[in-house]
Amino acid sequence: MNKTDNVLDLRRLWRAMKQLRWIYVASVLGFLVLAVVYWLVALPQYKASGMMLVEDADMGGGAGDMGQMMKTFSIGGFGGAAVDNEMLIVGSHDVAMKVVKNLQLNRTYTARLDGEKEVLWGNSPIAVEAAPGYFDTLSVAMKVTVDILDNGNADIKVTKGLLRRTVGEAENVALPATVKTEYGDLQVLKTAEYDKTPYSTVKVSVCSYEFACKQLMKIWFIDVASKLGDAILVEYDAPNRQMGMDVVNAIMSEYNAKRLARTHSRAAEEVAYYDEAIAKLMVELGEVEKKEAKFLSSDGMFANPETASMLASTAMSSKMTNIQSQQTIDYYEKVLAAIRADTNGEKFVPVVDGMTDANVTAYNDAIYNKHQLQKSATANNTALKRMNERIDMLRGVMIETSEKMIAKSRNDIKALSNVTASATTQLVDVPQKTMEYTSLVRDKSLKNALYAFLRQSREQSMLQLYSTSTLGFVFEEAYCDLKPDNMKKYIIVVVLLMLGLILPTCLAALMMLRHKKITDLMDLAKLGVESQSVVFDGSKA
């Protein structure tokens, strides 16, 4: 039953469509004219493309095997997440705004030559400018029409909105000229192409930077060139080949400039930190060197690793010298005792092995000679008298010499006792002093190593600060096909032609639904009595 109803409804729809056949013809012709007009008026669209490879500036040759392993086991080497981050920077509002301002994408220059409309890029005879900040705050879109006259002057008209309401006008003015509008003053300037331009009328679409920025972000296409690589693809559809390539190159350039500015900013912060750390370290290093110099000047002997043996040798040597000095004192005291006891010069002075004295030897020789003379000479003998005189003289010399030797030895013992005590005391302090000196040397060594590290790091940061190498390697600058991509125009033309058929069909369906009269048997299909009904026209049949 449903199938029969559908067939019957389609017959009713076909009846309505036949009744609207002239509307179909008019609709198809109307939309065909619109399609032709659009095809002629629409600007060509050129697809400009460019690619850049995102390189990791921190993962160079210094990363060694670990860096190579990280590159091997990460997708594409740099890491998918990192490339996604760079894509966010490329597609950021800031990059788009800088591209718009640098290329003045908020002003589009168009003209007609031989009936064909084209976008002027680098070959416009005029330029539209305004005061600084004007395009940042502009709230409406305007169109500036400049008619170049034969006398070299120009007629300027500024309009806004779909109804083209005039908001500023100037006739037969010499360029450069200022046109006052209710939204601010606009300046129309000559360019180098003005005197040789083939265009007689130039139209300039003017909008704010923000509006142009949003339009740019709607049109451009930014994505990963390959899932297995670290390359970013940038595409842009433009009505002018050179314009498309310039925009793509500007997008990649602004990304690299933004990345380079970030690198320089971080490097400047690092240099400032290293400068402060180095200055502080230099003060600390100077203090350590002063402590070392003071230690070496006062306790320098303890810095020698052979200090302990030297002090031990000094103490032992002092003790041996002390013993020898005591033996000297004992000997000369015996000499004095012997001489003072023998007032007549008859007895020999004792001699000790290892100790020799020329006066003692001479005195004992004189005693011996005297004994030999006494064997044969009388008491009044001249030789014997001279010998006694010599013995008396030698006795005085020996007494004086012995007293001096005793006093000298006692002084030596006293002095050596101080040296021995000092050496013994210092010998106890050697381990502690050695540890202090070792600590000073270690502290100085560590600070010197830290200073070298900070200096090297600062040099690396300085290289980054003045580096011009960018994170994005543009290995394929913008390129564009010689012929425009008309796919969009084809689609719109097909859509217009389809609308020419769809709209009358919708009207026919509406008429079918609103048709309540029974004019044919097909109108009885919903009641289910079409097969039992006939048409009576009054004839016998």
Side-chain angles (χ1 to χ4, degrees):
M1 187 66 180
N2 291 335
K3 184 176 180 181
T4 304
D5 290 344
N6 290 336
V7 172
L8 295 177
D9 287 343
L10 288 176
R11 289 191 301 168
R12 297 179 68 220
L13 177 62
W14 177 249
R15 180 184 63 187
M17 291 172 63
K18 288 193 296 182
Q19 293 175 353
L20 298 175
R21 55 185 176 275
W22 293 113
I23 294 180
Y24 269 93
V25 173
S27 176
V28 170
L29 290 178
F31 277 99
L32 179 61
V33 171
L34 287 177
V36 172
V37 171
Y38 170 78
W39 185 270
L40 296 176
V41 172
L43 293 171
Q45 293 295 317
Y46 296 89
K47 184 180 292 295
S49 303
M51 284 189 288
M52 58 183 173
L53 181 66
V54 180
E55 298 177 319
D56 189 354
D58 295 331
M59 189 173 291
D65 297 336
M66 181 60 70
Q68 186 62 37
M69 184 178 68
M70 291 173 66
K71 293 186 67 176
T72 302
F73 287 96
S74 61
I75 299 177
F78 186 63
V83 176
D84 290 339
N85 293 338
E86 300 308 312
M87 284 176 51
L88 293 176
I89 298 176
V90 178
S92 65
H93 179 273
D94 184 61
V95 170
M97 182 60 74
K98 289 181 178 178
V99 172
V100 168
K101 290 184 176 181
N102 291 340
L103 298 182
Q104 299 181 355
L105 296 182
N106 66 319
R107 281 154 280 180
T108 304
Y109 300 83
T110 59
R112 290 189 178 276
L113 185 64
D114 298 332
E116 294 186 2
K117 184 179 180 181
E118 60 180 289
V119 173
L120 306 182
W121 186 260
N123 58 339
S124 173
I126 57 100
V128 175
E129 299 290 345
Y134 178 85
F135 296 116
D136 292 317
T137 58
L138 185 63
S139 59
V140 297
M142 297 183 293
K143 185 176 287 292
V144 181
T145 303
V146 180
D147 294 323
I148 301 175
L149 305 178
D150 295 336
N151 60 1
N153 293 344
D155 290 339
I156 305 172
K157 186 176 183 180
V158 183
T159 59
K160 60 157 286 190
L162 295 176
L163 300 179
R164 301 291 181 89
R165 182 171 68 87
T166 302
V167 295
E169 192 171 7
E171 295 183 355
N172 197 18
V173 293
L175 300 183
T178 300
V179 181
K180 295 184 178 297
T181 71
E182 58 186 279
Y183 304 102
D185 295 344
L186 291 175
Q187 289 87 39
V188 179
L189 312 175
K190 290 182 179 180
T191 66
E193 303 290 327
Y194 189 81
D195 294 330
K196 53 184 178 181
T197 182
Y199 309 109
S200 59
T201 300
V202 178
K203 296 183 179 181
V204 187
S205 298
V206 179
C207 63
S208 65
Y209 285 136
E210 184 61 34
F211 182 79
C213 178
K214 292 180 178 179
Q215 293 299 115
L216 173 62
M217 297 178 72
K218 289 179 181 179
I219 297 175
W220 70 17
F221 176 79
I222 300 171
D223 199 359
V224 179
S226 172
K227 295 298 182 183
L228 299 179
D230 299 332
I232 296 178
L233 172 66
V234 180
E235 292 182 343
Y236 178 74
D237 293 335
N240 183 287
R241 290 186 69 253
Q242 189 61 45
M243 176 185 178
M245 292 187 292
D246 289 347
V247 170
V248 171
N249 287 330
I251 293 171
M252 295 188 292
S253 177
E254 289 299 333
Y255 159 75
N256 279 326
K258 191 176 185 67
R259 259 305 187 182
L260 193 60
R262 173 61 176 164
T263 300
H264 289 172
S265 175
R266 291 176 59 184
E269 293 175 359
E270 291 175 357
V271 169
Y273 166 77
Y274 289 133
D275 286 341
E276 182 180 355
I278 289 173
K280 182 178 179 181
L281 183 62
M282 289 297 293
V283 174
E284 296 177 356
L285 188 58
E287 292 177 354
V288 171
E289 291 176 347
K290 288 180 181 179
K291 291 180 181 179
E292 182 184 19
K294 182 179 179 181
F295 183 89
L296 291 175
S297 62
S298 59
D299 300 321
M301 60 183 301
F302 298 103
N304 192 338
E306 299 178 355
T307 299
S309 62
M310 180 184 68
L311 290 175
S313 299
T314 301
M316 184 60 68
S317 176
S318 298
K319 290 181 180 180
M320 293 302 294
T321 305
N322 192 4
I323 293 173
Q324 292 177 358
S325 298
Q326 188 61 46
Q327 291 176 349
T328 302
I329 291 173
D330 294 340
Y331 171 70
Y332 281 105
E333 285 180 349
K334 291 179 180 180
V335 171
L336 284 175
I339 292 175
R340 287 172 178 170
D342 182 19
T343 58
N344 295 325
E346 297 293 335
K347 297 181 179 180
F348 291 100
V349 175
V351 177
V352 179
D353 292 339
M355 297 189 67
T356 58
D357 190 321
N359 293 325
V360 173
T361 302
Y363 182 81
N364 286 336
D365 289 343
I367 294 296
Y368 175 77
N369 291 330
K370 178 181 177 180
H371 288 169
Q372 293 298 325
L373 288 173
Q374 285 179 347
K375 291 179 180 180
S376 59
T378 62
N380 296 325
N381 187 283
T382 303
L384 184 60
K385 288 181 178 180
R386 287 198 296 269
M387 187 59 67
N388 285 329
E389 292 175 355
R390 177 175 173 78
I391 289 173
D392 291 338
M393 184 271 295
L394 289 174
R395 179 186 292 112
V397 172
M398 287 178 60
I399 291 173
E400 182 181 358
T401 301
S402 297
E403 290 176 349
K404 289 182 178 179
M405 290 299 294
I406 291 172
K408 177 180 179 302
S409 297
R410 286 175 177 171
N411 290 333
D412 289 344
I413 291 174
K414 184 177 180 180
L416 288 173
S417 63
N418 294 332
V419 173
T420 303
S422 176
T424 305
T425 303
Q426 292 176 355
L427 190 60
V428 176
D429 295 336
V430 166
Q432 180 181 356
K433 297 293 184 180
T434 303
M435 289 178 62
E436 291 179 7
Y437 181 72
T438 302
S439 178
L440 285 174
V441 172
R442 181 174 62 248
D443 194 14
K444 179 181 176 181
S445 177
L446 289 175
K447 282 182 169 52
N448 282 326
L450 180 59
Y451 174 78
F453 169 76
L454 291 176
R455 290 291 301 180
Q456 182 180 4
S457 300
R458 184 184 184 279
E459 292 300 324
Q460 293 177 352
S461 297
M462 288 295 292
L463 291 176
Q464 290 287 332
L465 181 60
Y466 294 103
S467 173
T468 57
S469 60
T470 58
L471 184 63
F473 167 54
V474 181
F475 66 92
E476 188 168 74
E477 292 189 357
Y479 64 93
C480 192
D481 295 333
L482 294 177
K483 294 183 178 180
D485 183 7
N486 292 323
M487 181 58 65
K488 182 178 178 180
K489 295 175 67 174
Y490 287 132
I491 293 175
I492 292 178
V493 168
V494 171
V495 169
L496 289 175
L497 294 178
M498 290 179 64
L499 286 175
L501 295 173
I502 292 174
L503 292 180
T505 302
C506 292
L507 182 59
L510 181 62
M511 291 179 60
M512 178 193 70
L513 295 175
R514 293 177 62 86
H515 185 78
K516 302 298 182 180
K517 296 180 179 180
I518 300 175
T519 57
D520 292 299
L521 292 178
M522 67 182 70
D523 295 325
L524 299 174
K526 287 185 177 181
L527 301 177
V529 294
E530 180 183 5
S531 59
Q532 290 84 23
S533 303
V534 295
V535 177
F536 179 69
D537 56 359
S539 63
K540 294 180 179 181

